[in-house]
Amino acid sequence: MTWTIPNILTVARLLAAPGVAVMFLYFTRPYADWFALLLFTLAAATDWFDGYLARAWGQESKMGAMLDPIADKAMVVIALMVIVGYSSMSPWLVLPATVILFREVFVSGLREFLGDTAGTLKVTKLAKWKTTSQMVAIALLFAQGVFEHYFGMSVIGMNDEIVAQILRGELPDDLGLIWKLQGMAWAGNAGLVLLWVAAVLTFLTGVDYFNKARPHLKDN
């Protein structure tokens, strides 16, 4: 493997994938949420830079082409595992996550079976949009965890009625409860919508890949 800058960025993104989960093993919340969000965002940014630099500098390689989709899948799968694990197991979150994880396993199995003919399953523009929507959705869901934890810390020991009065604007909001709750709701809703968009795109690209692979799956 040639250690070009694009390949180094790809390997760094691959190593960052398990790092997202490790943050929750060694740090308490909300620090774990912050570190996971920062690590995931930086790693996701390399997904664009490594490909752009490889093409711009003429440093495209077979190793980079092989590792790039693996790094993307590892980031998405591990991040979704962490988010679902620390969520309330809402069906609205679990269902799109299940579709995404199933598709990744299914397409990986197709590529492995096809072997030398796996080139028929080239990454499409729709698949790139799928990856982008997944990355943004996951980043927003990590951000929701940050807002949620700070809001929960702020209301510890407070009477529910007092909290309700502050949120209605009847009492001064010295602790910033309103913007924390709004941030939590905005990040959570936007992240969930984008995750569903990603799930739909994931399903469509999975069907597309299967249709392309069908001629190679027929018995003689």
Side-chain angles (χ1 to χ4, degrees):
M1 178 176 175
T2 304
W3 287 101
T4 60
I5 291 180
N7 283 346
I8 291 173
L9 290 175
T10 302
V11 172
R13 186 165 75 258
L14 181 62
L15 296 177
V20 171
V22 170
M23 295 299 105
F24 288 87
L25 296 179
Y26 290 96
F27 299 99
T28 59
R29 304 182 73 181
Y31 302 108
D33 299 87
W34 272 116
F35 293 149
L37 174 60
L38 181 61
L39 182 61
F40 184 87
T41 302
L42 291 175
T46 66
D47 184 36
W48 183 84
F49 279 109
D50 60 4
Y52 173 79
L53 293 177
R55 291 186 295 270
W57 295 348
Q59 295 181 345
E60 294 174 290
S61 66
K62 291 183 178 179
M63 184 63 70
M66 183 271 291
L67 287 178
D68 186 69
I70 295 176
D72 290 343
K73 287 177 173 58
M75 283 184 58
V76 169
V77 168
I78 293 175
L80 283 178
M81 177 189 71
V82 172
I83 289 172
V84 171
Y86 279 89
S87 72
S88 59
M89 300 298 289
S90 166
W92 294 103
L93 177 62
V94 174
L95 183 57
T98 301
V99 172
I100 292 171
L101 296 179
F102 177 82
R103 181 267 189 193
E104 300 299 355
V105 173
F106 180 76
V107 173
S108 295
L110 273 182
R111 293 183 189 278
E112 182 178 353
F113 176 80
L114 292 177
D116 294 337
T117 58
T120 56
L121 304 183
K122 292 182 179 180
V123 177
T124 62
K125 286 187 176 180
L126 190 63
K128 292 180 179 180
W129 278 107
K130 177 265 301 180
T131 300
T132 300
S133 59
Q134 286 177 353
M135 299 292 190
V136 177
I138 290 172
L140 286 170
L141 291 173
F142 274 131
Q144 179 197 16
V146 173
F147 283 112
E148 182 178 10
H149 196 79
Y150 279 121
F151 179 81
M153 291 173 60
S154 299
V155 299
I156 290 178
M158 295 180 63
N159 182 277
D160 291 343
E161 181 57 31
I162 293 178
V163 173
Q165 289 177 337
I166 293 175
L167 296 178
R168 290 196 298 265
E170 298 172 2
L171 293 175
D173 186 16
D174 297 328
L175 298 177
L177 298 186
I178 294 177
W179 69 262
K180 291 173 185 175
L181 183 63
Q182 290 176 342
M184 181 179 71
W186 183 88
N189 291 334
L192 195 58
V193 169
L194 273 178
L195 193 66
W196 274 93
V197 171
V200 172
L201 295 178
T202 296
F203 176 78
L204 294 177
T205 56
V207 171
D208 178 54
Y209 286 156
F210 178 70
N211 287 333
K212 290 178 180 178
R214 283 178 64 185
H216 304 282
L217 304 177
K218 294 180 179 179
D219 295 323
N220 294 328

